[in-house]
Amino acid sequence: KDAADMSRSPRAKIETTSESSKFALIKSKREDSGKYVITATNEAGSFTAYAIVNVLDKPGPVRDLKVANVSIDRCTVKWEPPEDDGSCEIQNYIIEKCESKRMIWSTYSSSILTNYVHVTHLIEGNEYIFRVRAENKMGTGPPTETKPIIAKTQFGRPGPPDPPEITKFGKEEMTVVWNP
């Protein structure tokens, strides 16, 4: 493979009969993908052939996982597809959520086709963690987790204003100012 002699690899298994030879690479990995050169030699001469091998695998982890648009009962979870799709099309994404105080994961959806999901039915004031996994025909990739978020309004309660100050006063009126 790629100019390296694979016949000496402990994972290589070569079976030769008078009719054929068979090469097997045990426990193949994604990095075993590449161009292989096969040379058959006998007393009549030799022949060289090439084979492009593509090892299929589960996808890698999703990237750049973020939570946005957090409100009292919903949020949006977004991500980028895995860098390595396992040489198979990503079929769907699996989204799980966990309330931090309970630490029990539950599947929110196992059939998301886009790289985002609008999560609903959150409980105001609860802290949540989300995780996302990509899935292809070879299986499910490793999860990527978000940082914890709290379901709450994006606006905080205002604090008390600064003490008021009288800037002008007269017989029938006065001006009072303060900073919020």
Side-chain angles (χ1 to χ4, degrees):
K1 174 195 172 229
D2 301 328
D5 184 359
M6 295 297 294
S7 65
R8 300 191 197 318
S9 169
R11 295 187 300 127
K13 184 178 177 188
I14 301 172
E15 295 175 7
T16 302
T17 68
S18 61
E19 302 289 316
S20 66
S21 283
K22 179 179 167 183
F23 172 80
L25 191 58
I26 310 302
K27 296 184 179 178
S28 58
K29 307 174 199 147
R30 291 276 295 135
E31 31 308 342
D32 293 325
S33 297
K35 184 177 181 179
Y36 285 75
V37 179
I38 303 103
T39 304
T41 305
N42 64 16
E43 53 279 340
S46 66
F47 180 79
T48 299
Y50 303 92
I52 303 297
V53 175
N54 190 11
V55 178
L56 305 180
D57 199 359
K58 300 173 192 172
V62 300
R63 300 171 292 140
D64 201 23
L65 181 60
K66 294 179 181 167
V67 181
N69 307 322
V70 178
S71 71
I72 60 173
D73 64 347
R74 65 191 65 220
C75 67
T76 302
V77 180
K78 305 182 212 183
W79 61 90
E80 292 299 319
E83 195 169 312
D84 181 4
D85 63 4
S87 281
C88 302
E89 182 180 352
I90 300 294
Q91 295 174 325
N92 60 279
Y93 295 96
I94 299 166
I95 315 306
E96 296 173 291
K97 74 175 183 174
C98 174
E99 283 184 54
S100 297
K101 66 182 175 186
R102 293 178 49 214
M103 286 312 292
I104 297 172
W105 288 95
S106 62
T107 302
Y108 180 76
S109 178
S110 59
S111 58
I112 302 296
L113 303 176
T114 58
N115 64 336
Y116 65 91
V117 62
H118 299 293
V119 179
T120 57
H121 305 295
L122 301 179
I123 299 169
E124 184 176 11
N126 283 4
E127 185 178 77
Y128 293 92
I129 304 169
F130 300 94
R131 64 183 177 197
V132 179
R133 294 181 287 151
E135 188 170 44
N136 65 17
K137 68 181 181 180
M138 301 305 292
T140 304
T144 302
E145 286 186 16
T146 66
K147 292 181 175 153
I149 60 105
I150 296 174
K152 64 179 184 173
T153 179
Q154 60 185 352
F155 305 106
R157 291 186 174 175
D162 285 349
E165 183 181 328
I166 300 170
T167 58
K168 280 193 217 174
F169 63 93
K171 246 182 180 178
E172 296 186 16
E173 67 181 73
M174 73 175 170
T175 303
V176 179
V177 296
W178 65 91
N179 289 322

